[in-house]
Amino acid sequence: MNWRVGEVKITKIVELEVTGGSRFILPQASPEEILPVAWLRPDFADERGRLRMSIHALVIETPDRRIIVDTCLGNDKENRRIPTWNSLQTSFLADPAAADYARETIDTGICTHLHVDHVGWNTMLVDRHWVSTFPNARYLMGRIEFEHWARQHEREDMAVVLADSVMPVWEAGLVDLVETDHRICDEVSLVPTPGHTPGHVSVRIASRSEEALITGDFMHHPCQIARPAWSSTADSNPGEAQRTRERMLTRLADAPILVIGTHFAGRTAGCVVRDGGTYRLE
Ligand SMILES: [Zn+2]
């Protein structure tokens, strides 16, 4: 699945898609609340009102750059809080969608934030060592985000993620810490969208007067387009996350911007339009 934005091509590479089991992340999104929001079916919810979600990476190809945004869960990782995320053996790197993008040809990795499902393929296991999956890439991580998690010593779940998926590339000298409005190249820049995590960013792509936005997790699921007040249990600051969603949705609804959701399943992308007192994805 891919999209064109001017001279830029954006390609989705799926690691996992799941239906249901998302109440722990969006407790307000019960089937009774989801079923009346008809536009969510079939891409984002099933006929029983269960949410469909996806973990995927997005490759941005500009005329002279190859950038991967968010590197999913990764294979062989252990001690994840969600049992099914342990010891994965997916064919992510061999995905036909990724056939044009051999890992050696990626020049930049961007993490919208440093949660477990956004950093996994930063590294892969080779001879029992974690090494960079994208050996010719600089890994861009938010300075605020990196410094925040480096201080959270009581978060054991984050410590194991940092140890196997962030510190190996840091120690290899491959990380550049960047500000939340960093410009990567003519077509690609970061947009601060805090609240899910303190240094969370989205990714703006603009080329030949066309524009797209890769959300990251300021929205986990399109149901939050209809219900911006629903925060995820993973939001570090739910109030700030809600203010970010409301600010971004207002902006997106007033412009022809292709919104590409980091966890949006099915067709994954669309334009935000006003829908009564709220919004929907079209
Ligand atoms: Zn996520």
Side-chain angles (χ1 to χ4, degrees):
M1 188 177 292
N2 58 65
W3 304 271
R4 285 243 170 228
V5 179
E7 292 189 290
V8 178
K9 184 178 172 189
I10 302 160
T11 300
K12 176 171 101 162
I13 304 169
V14 178
E15 185 181 53
L16 291 176
E17 275 212 32
V18 290
T19 301
S22 44
R23 287 296 289 280
F24 75 95
I25 190 102
L26 284 165
Q28 287 153 298
S30 63
E32 305 75 56
E33 294 285 343
I34 292 301
L35 282 171
V37 188
W39 62 265
L40 291 174
R41 298 190 299 275
D43 285 87
F44 311 123
D46 71 2
E47 66 290 341
R48 291 166 56 187
R50 297 181 304 177
L51 301 186
R52 290 191 203 282
M53 293 189 76
S54 170
I55 297 178
H56 51 252
L58 294 156
V59 175
I60 304 172
E61 182 177 25
T62 78
D64 46 26
R65 300 291 294 268
R66 284 189 170 187
I67 301 167
I68 189 164
V69 180
D70 285 340
T71 57
C72 307
L73 292 162
N75 279 358
D76 300 302
K77 306 282 158 125
E78 304 285 355
N79 301 309
R80 287 354 192 196
R81 258 195 320 187
I82 295 177
T84 52
W85 290 359
N86 283 300
S87 309
L88 281 177
Q89 296 297 326
T90 73
S91 55
F92 178 82
L93 288 180
D95 188 307
D100 293 338
Y101 302 112
R103 57 193 180 84
E104 295 82 4
T105 69
I106 300 289
D107 59 59
T108 308
I110 296 175
C111 301
T112 60
H113 61 300
L114 296 181
H115 279 166
V116 57
D117 51 324
H118 298 260
V119 298
W121 277 109
N122 285 354
T123 60
M124 54 190 243
L125 198 58
V126 176
D127 297 333
R128 293 192 288 152
H129 293 287
W130 295 111
V131 302
S132 165
T133 305
F134 308 103
N136 298 310
R138 299 299 302 174
Y139 288 76
L140 307 188
M141 298 182 189
R143 182 185 56 79
I144 294 171
E145 185 74 5
F146 187 88
E147 291 175 354
H148 169 77
W149 291 115
R151 285 193 304 268
Q152 303 295 305
H153 302 294
E154 76 287 1
R155 283 284 301 266
E156 265 179 58
D157 57 328
M158 280 300 296
V160 296
V161 170
L162 294 179
D164 60 34
S165 301
V166 174
M167 293 323 289
V169 288
W170 172 265
E171 282 158 7
L174 301 175
V175 174
D176 294 325
L177 294 182
V178 297
E179 301 306 319
T180 53
D181 59 355
H182 181 71
R183 188 178 187 88
I184 294 120
C185 58
D186 283 350
E187 301 87 354
V188 185
S189 53
L190 305 182
V191 178
T193 44
H196 180 62
T197 60
H200 187 277
V201 295
S202 302
V203 182
R204 176 178 186 264
I205 300 108
S207 174
R208 297 207 166 157
S209 70
E210 293 184 358
E211 188 173 339
L213 184 83
I214 296 174
T215 57
D217 285 2
F218 81 80
M219 299 186 285
H220 266 94
H221 187 277
C223 69
Q224 292 169 292
I225 295 171
R227 306 283 182 265
W230 289 357
S231 270
S232 131
T233 53
D235 290 347
S236 68
N237 183 334
E240 187 179 36
Q242 181 180 344
R243 286 192 295 280
T244 289
R245 265 191 304 284
E246 286 168 350
R247 173 173 58 83
M248 293 301 289
L249 286 168
T250 304
R251 203 165 106 191
L252 293 168
D254 290 333
I257 297 172
L258 181 72
V259 177
I260 305 174
T262 295
H263 289 307
F264 294 6
R267 275 175 289 182
T268 302
C271 284
V272 170
V273 295
R274 289 175 198 281
D275 185 17
T278 180
Y279 307 92
R280 69 188 151 83
L281 194 69
E282 196 170 81

